[in-house]
Amino acid sequence: MDFDTLHALGKTELHCHLDGSLSLSCIRQLAKMINRPLPASDDALRQLVQAPADSENLADYLKTFDFVAPLLQTKKALQLAAFDVVAQAAEENVRYIEIRFAPAFSISGGLSLSDATEAVIEGLHQAMTKFDIVAKALVCGMRQLPNADNQAMFRANAALLGNGLVGGDFAGNEADFPTSVCAPAIKTAQRLGVPLTFHAGECHCPQNIAEAIFLGIPRIGHATACFDQPDLIQKIVQTHTTIELCLTSNLQTKAARSLDEFPYQALKAAGAAITINTDNRTVSNTTLTHEYELYQTYFKTTAADFLAFNLNAINAAFISEPAKQALRNRLHQDYAAYL
Ligand SMILES: O=c1[nH]cnc2c1ncn2[C@@H]1O[C@H](CO)[C@@H](O)[C@H]1O
Ligand SMILES: [Zn+2]
């Protein structure tokens, strides 16, 4: 399929970070609101908000997020940001998206941990009235924060579940803070009834994936380190764990040092539930359409495969069964001409 066809096809995305996906025009608007000077040329700005080409690891990649954090400290800013990311997704015919962000990174201006989420939800709702898309929010605990902080974040947000907020995640510094360190906060989120996904396997550490599955987490972001671990892949399949693959991001963080270390082929051959995601549209300089094009080029992924991955995403989405059925019907229509 050519790029225009991939662009026009209906798509779904489970793994997209708000702060890593702001358009340059939104970044300019938010910077203006706090009188922060930015380079005049978009090329120069892009250099500041994209991961450096020579990122050596996840920690390097994550440094890029420091640039945007000061821009996301008011309700208005978070609302505009959420609207902006949904607009980008809708433009490339994403029908369902879950957008994640870390409330703990948006409280330095006086917002509470739930104010921040309410503002994001407001932006998502505004975008849904304007565009043909369903957009939901996930709140991220951060691995490097104390468990008490992540527990407080999930407690503060649990009351918003079902009203635009549909679940939680853990992101951040995986190399120094393995899954076991986060277990107390994971268990708190689970006790509060927060459906969870979880970043794991981005630092050549299959154990972090295994532990997350052992803790009962049904979705794993990345899971890159399973590429050469057949027993772990079997575990992923047996437990029906859904994997949120992020190809471009993995090549940048060196989670996969080459395409051979990307787990797509191994997971697909084993029959695992895989999904295609951008991770960070701006930091990784990508779109979902571009990711599809890469899979087609590198792995000969077909329209039938893309449909199956989208249905996997719908199955794993943190929404009601009737909402899932409506999205499935839509996707079947979208792909019918290409099967
Ligand atoms: O690929 C990733 N792995 C781990 N953490 C990430 C990744 N992308 C973004 N974040 C982290 O998640 C926070 C909330 O959106 C971001 O601020 C960033 O620190
Ligand atoms: Zn991520």
Side-chain angles (χ1 to χ4, degrees):
M1 290 180 280
D2 62 17
F3 187 86
D4 288 348
T5 305
L6 293 173
H7 181 269
L9 274 177
K11 294 177 275 295
T12 52
E13 186 169 16
L14 298 180
H15 192 135
C16 176
H17 292 257
L18 179 74
D19 49 349
S21 301
L22 304 180
S23 67
L24 295 190
S25 61
C26 182
I27 290 171
R28 291 197 181 284
Q29 185 181 9
L30 300 183
K32 203 167 171 189
M33 282 161 51
I34 57 167
N35 296 318
R36 176 169 164 185
L38 291 181
S41 88
D42 280 353
D43 280 347
L45 180 55
R46 226 174 262 120
Q47 296 303 312
L48 299 173
V49 298
Q50 282 178 4
D54 58 351
S55 283
E56 278 180 19
N57 51 33
L58 178 61
D60 247 9
Y61 177 89
L62 292 180
K63 282 182 201 146
T64 309
F65 289 82
D66 294 344
F67 184 88
V68 161
L71 305 180
L72 293 174
Q73 301 304 326
T74 64
K75 280 199 145 196
K76 183 75 195 160
L78 285 160
Q79 188 190 318
L80 289 169
F83 184 94
D84 173 71
V85 178
V86 180
Q88 292 175 60
E91 191 281 325
E92 54 168 344
N93 298 297
V94 175
R95 312 279 189 228
Y96 176 76
I97 188 164
E98 290 176 9
I99 296 181
R100 57 187 76 192
F101 84 110
F105 289 172
S106 286
I107 56 173
S108 67
L111 292 185
S112 75
L113 291 162
S114 58
D115 289 342
T117 311
E118 279 171 0
V120 168
I121 292 170
E122 178 67 31
L124 300 182
H125 281 152
Q126 282 174 349
M128 280 196 285
T129 63
K130 185 144 182 225
F131 306 109
D132 176 18
I133 188 168
V134 177
K136 302 290 180 187
L138 303 176
V139 282
C140 301
M142 298 304 300
R143 284 173 171 275
Q144 65 271 26
L145 292 180
N147 277 302
D149 289 18
N150 288 328
Q151 287 165 321
M153 188 282 289
F154 284 117
R155 282 195 196 100
N157 280 287
L160 297 174
L161 275 176
N163 175 33
L165 176 67
V166 294
D169 171 39
F170 285 74
N173 179 347
E174 183 183 353
D176 299 319
F177 297 88
T179 302
S180 52
V181 171
C182 308
I186 293 170
K187 288 179 181 161
T188 297
Q190 288 170 327
R191 273 195 296 270
L192 289 163
V194 181
L196 283 185
T197 178
F198 193 82
H199 281 74
E202 273 185 287
C203 297
H204 307 278
C205 41
Q207 187 60 22
N208 285 335
I209 306 169
E211 281 172 13
I213 294 173
F214 179 76
L215 287 167
I217 296 176
R219 282 173 33 184
I220 304 288
H222 300 284
T224 323
C226 76
F227 78 96
D228 62 350
Q229 308 282 320
D231 291 351
L232 179 53
I233 290 178
Q234 272 318 306
K235 184 56 101 185
I236 288 168
V237 175
Q238 281 162 10
T239 52
H240 305 289
T241 304
T242 298
I243 305 299
E244 303 160 1
L245 294 174
C246 308
L247 173 57
T248 297
S249 166
N250 280 181
L251 294 171
Q252 291 168 329
T253 61
K254 310 293 184 289
R257 284 164 294 214
S258 69
L259 285 179
D260 292 340
E261 291 190 352
F262 188 66
Y264 171 80
Q265 317 259 37
L267 286 167
K268 183 163 184 277
I274 51 185
T275 65
I276 298 179
N277 305 273
T278 59
D279 203 19
N280 294 290
R281 286 156 189 268
T282 309
V283 173
S284 285
N285 188 25
T286 191
T287 62
L288 200 52
T289 308
H290 181 60
E291 295 295 309
Y292 277 44
E293 195 177 40
L294 293 177
Y295 281 79
Q296 236 190 195
T297 307
Y298 294 151
F299 307 123
K300 308 284 172 264
T301 303
T302 65
D305 294 327
F306 288 127
L307 174 60
F309 303 157
N310 278 289
L311 294 172
N312 291 340
I314 299 298
N315 290 341
F318 297 141
I319 51 172
S320 71
E321 194 47 44
K324 290 184 184 198
Q325 202 46 49
L327 288 161
R328 287 188 192 107
N329 293 343
R330 186 86 192 271
L331 285 164
H332 280 294
Q333 284 169 19
D334 282 333
Y335 283 77
Y338 302 98
L339 299 178

